[in-house]
Amino acid sequence: MFRRDFLRFSAISATALLATGCKPEEGFAFDGLMGSQSRESEERGALPIPPLAEYTKTEGKKSFDLEVRAAEKNFFGSKMTKTFGVNGDFLGPTIKVNRGDKVWFNVKNSLSEKTTIHWHGLHVDGKNDGGPHQVIPVGESWKTDFEIDQRACTAWYHPHQMDRTGYQVYMGIAGFFLIDDEESKNLPHEYGVDDIPLVIQDRRFSQDGEFRYISSMHDRMMGMAGDVFLVNGAIHPTFEPKNERVRLRVLNGSNSRIYTLGFDNKQEFDVVASDGGILERPTKMKKILVSPGERVEIVVKFSKNSALNLIDYMSETSLMKIETKDLATSKELPEKLAQPFSITPSKNEKLRVFDLSMGRGVALINNKQMSISRIDEEVEIGTSEIWRIRNNQSMMMRMAHPFHIHGCSFEILKREGRPIYAFEKGAKDTVLVASGEVVDVRVIFHKRADKENPYMYHCHNLEHEDLGMMGQFTVT
Ligand code: C2O
Ligand code: CU
Ligand code: CU
């Protein structure tokens, strides 16, 4: 069965596609032959919803216990696949908190290798960030506590172990971190009912059912084209909405694959939030481009007794089936969803330039490979700056890079080469920079990171990150 699937997919990954033969807008405008291509014979049951993480209240703090461990999971047939998971066999529970909450995490590492847990999208001090400096040795626990001090958003968590991030995420360590506030009630917000997290990933399996991570330098540089797609850890599941309007919180949790998502009936939906929060107003769209690490929230209005597919235009695949019967009516979206996000520019804003490039077996920022003992930039707390990210195309290696910055939300000001789409407005922490493009973002940091516990900026193509396309900065 996987053989057949494999034949249908091109060997080139979407990341490479976006950078080589095909311009993003072409990929973006592509109208697939979908419908006919959904995997009719391969329904494998209902869409799993990650459970909400349980917590206890101690001293006014919500305290969560997470255990990262090795496990096994049955993805298809009778085969078992070796996996990693958090409090389970693959992926992790959804952490759901409110703005203003004080939270406390106890993260136990039961793997047989070192790991970390990074809160991607959270505004927390460097020492709580879970980056490569907050290593959790085998058998030990990492305790961290902080206050949720940012607007409602869909964030997530994943490991950030030096040189091992790609592998550990591939094995299954990732989960949602949802923050709510008053404004999030303007959107459907009943978790698992009309507020649905969707983490989209691609994987390759070997004949014996194991994940087949990186096998060549080509994979590392050009991205791996996994031929099996997982939504919340399930292959081509079916989602049966109960309500007319459903909020889908989409996370591209793939290591390197870029998706252009839409529905095979070409229906419109409202884009309502990006990485770091709810947009001021909903925008109608039919397709969204989501690169690794990015989140996009959409609200879809379904009709009764219908069948459709959530599709990826890039790979021409149905990722998930949707089947409706009766639907409870839901209220319309308000015209204004949230306060707009924008950063007031400081006087004489500093401009920093980040040149992304690839060489033989290395991925560089400003011609340097990541070094955990070098601080690359020093930023002043509370002052806005312009960060200019340039993807220097070389004839040899044309790749798109999703650039991510820790500890903040930024605003995309302009991009030479492509417009800024509606789903890239608002508060962002990851932005796709395709080959030859230059993107300016305005960034401001309100939390601290000293040189013992600096923040990272890096390409969220996790193989590129592990190849060195990452740098460290302090905020003081
Ligand atoms: Cu999602 Cu530095 O990572
Ligand atoms: Cu991050
Ligand atoms: Cu990259």
Side-chain angles (χ1 to χ4, degrees):
M1 106 187 44
F2 286 105
R3 173 90 186 137
R4 184 172 69 99
D5 284 344
F6 184 73
L7 293 174
R8 191 190 301 144
F9 297 95
S10 68
I12 188 162
S13 79
T15 315
L17 191 72
L18 191 67
T20 44
C22 168
K23 287 243 184 67
E25 0 4 309
E26 288 161 12
F28 195 61
F30 171 73
D31 267 320
L33 311 155
M34 221 56 54
S36 60
Q37 298 204 346
S38 65
R39 301 183 187 185
E40 327 73 28
S41 56
E42 292 167 36
E43 273 83 73
R44 287 180 174 79
L47 172 74
I49 303 292
L52 289 175
E54 288 170 19
Y55 59 86
T56 52
K57 271 225 158 182
T58 33
E59 296 160 29
K61 292 181 182 173
K62 290 183 176 168
S63 111
F64 294 86
D65 280 308
L66 301 179
E67 186 193 13
V68 185
R69 59 191 192 211
E72 280 193 330
K73 182 179 161 77
N74 172 237
F75 286 95
F76 63 92
S78 59
K79 301 232 162 93
M80 294 302 283
T81 305
K82 291 191 187 72
T83 55
F84 291 169
V86 183
N87 299 0
D89 55 13
F90 188 71
L91 300 175
T94 297
I95 295 155
K96 199 168 183 294
V97 296
N98 298 313
R99 183 173 195 166
D101 278 354
K102 295 194 169 63
V103 293
W104 193 88
F105 287 95
N106 184 29
V107 186
K108 172 147 205 250
N109 177 10
S110 298
L111 298 175
S112 55
E113 59 181 276
K114 291 179 283 191
T115 192
T116 83
I117 289 293
H118 164 58
W119 319 111
H120 178 135
L122 261 63
H123 303 177
V124 295
D125 287 338
K127 66 178 187 332
N128 299 319
D129 189 49
H133 292 265
Q134 289 88 49
V135 175
I136 319 173
V138 173
E140 293 189 21
S141 293
W142 179 53
K143 295 181 189 353
T144 184
D145 68 305
F146 47 86
E147 186 173 338
I148 304 296
D149 182 20
Q150 64 192 94
R151 47 201 290 162
C153 70
T154 299
W156 63 302
Y157 60 91
H158 63 75
H160 221 300
Q161 179 62 36
M162 249 325 246
D163 306 323
R164 295 289 279 176
T165 297
Y167 171 72
Q168 294 186 352
V169 172
Y170 203 84
M171 290 300 286
I173 313 177
F176 282 93
F177 197 121
L178 311 182
I179 301 175
D180 283 328
D181 63 13
E182 278 308 306
E183 289 177 331
S184 45
K185 295 186 185 139
N186 288 332
L187 295 169
H189 57 275
E190 203 181 330
Y191 185 80
V193 178
D194 60 6
D195 179 353
I196 308 288
L198 294 180
V199 50
I200 300 175
Q201 299 172 308
D202 63 327
R203 291 292 182 272
R204 292 189 304 199
F205 288 86
S206 62
Q207 290 297 330
D208 58 355
E210 300 301 347
F211 285 146
R212 197 154 61 83
Y213 185 57
I214 299 285
S215 49
S216 68
M217 187 47 80
H218 179 274
D219 281 354
R220 274 183 226 277
M221 307 285 280
M222 303 307 286
M224 290 174 299
D227 55 329
V228 176
F229 294 87
L230 303 176
V231 181
N232 295 348
I235 302 171
H236 202 229
T238 302
F239 173 50
E240 294 183 19
K242 300 277 170 289
N243 298 33
E244 187 181 53
R245 280 195 176 76
V246 177
R247 170 191 196 173
L248 300 176
R249 301 180 186 247
V250 176
L251 158 65
N252 181 346
S254 294
N255 283 36
S256 62
R257 191 186 267 279
I258 296 167
Y259 300 92
T260 298
L261 303 177
F263 297 94
D264 60 345
N265 64 353
K266 310 246 164 61
Q267 83 169 72
E268 279 190 331
F269 47 80
D270 285 294
V271 175
V272 295
S274 59
D275 297 336
I278 302 171
L279 299 170
E280 186 180 11
R281 292 170 201 290
T283 305
K284 295 241 182 275
M285 299 208 77
K286 287 186 175 172
K287 290 173 189 169
I288 47 171
L289 184 65
V290 200
S291 70
E294 284 187 301
R295 288 85 67 210
V296 182
E297 294 184 34
I298 62 174
V299 172
V300 194
K301 189 180 177 199
F302 295 110
S303 4
K304 292 180 187 172
N305 302 314
S306 60
L308 61 158
N309 289 275
L310 173 69
I311 57 173
D312 171 34
Y313 284 93
M314 293 257 198
S315 59
E316 302 180 39
T317 319
S318 165
L319 303 176
M320 179 174 87
K321 268 189 85 161
I322 299 160
E323 285 176 359
T324 68
K325 297 191 178 81
D326 249 354
L327 295 172
T329 49
S330 11
K331 64 173 199 241
E332 302 231 357
L333 290 181
E335 253 172 67
K336 181 164 174 169
L337 298 172
Q339 287 305 314
F341 171 83
S342 78
I343 299 168
T344 317
S346 308
K347 273 197 225 91
N348 308 319
E349 280 183 311
K350 192 176 170 83
L351 171 74
R352 289 180 207 265
V353 178
F354 299 87
D355 278 324
L356 314 182
S357 62
M358 310 272 298
R360 277 184 206 286
V362 289
L364 310 169
I365 301 180
N366 293 338
N367 283 315
K368 293 175 289 186
Q369 231 180 335
M370 160 78 176
S371 162
I372 198 152
S373 54
R374 182 191 66 229
I375 299 296
D376 298 281
E377 309 289 335
E378 294 174 1
V379 176
E380 192 182 323
I381 194 164
T383 10
S384 76
E385 300 190 347
I386 308 288
W387 286 24
R388 176 167 297 162
I389 307 136
R390 302 198 296 212
N391 182 344
N392 294 345
Q393 53 182 342
S394 74
M395 290 323 280
M396 201 182 84
M397 210 79 70
R398 302 181 67 188
M399 293 291 306
H401 303 294
F403 191 83
H404 168 54
I405 309 174
H406 285 210
C408 71
S409 296
F410 56 72
E411 186 187 350
I412 305 177
L413 299 178
K414 61 170 198 259
R415 169 162 49 205
E416 279 170 32
R418 258 183 320 146
I420 298 159
Y421 302 110
F423 48 80
E424 297 176 305
K425 302 256 161 75
K428 291 283 292 170
D429 57 55
T430 307
V431 59
L432 185 65
V433 191
S435 182
E437 287 181 350
V438 182
V439 179
D440 280 5
V441 303
R442 175 170 284 129
V443 62
I444 190 165
F445 299 89
H446 298 292
K447 304 286 167 190
R448 279 173 200 280
D450 59 21
K451 57 183 191 319
E452 277 68 50
N453 296 285
Y455 288 135
M456 305 293 132
Y457 52 82
H458 59 91
C459 177
H460 221 285
N461 173 317
L462 299 180
E463 283 65 55
H464 292 179
E465 176 189 326
D466 286 340
L467 282 173
M469 196 176 270
M470 176 153 70
Q472 311 196 96
F473 67 104
T474 58
V475 177
T476 51

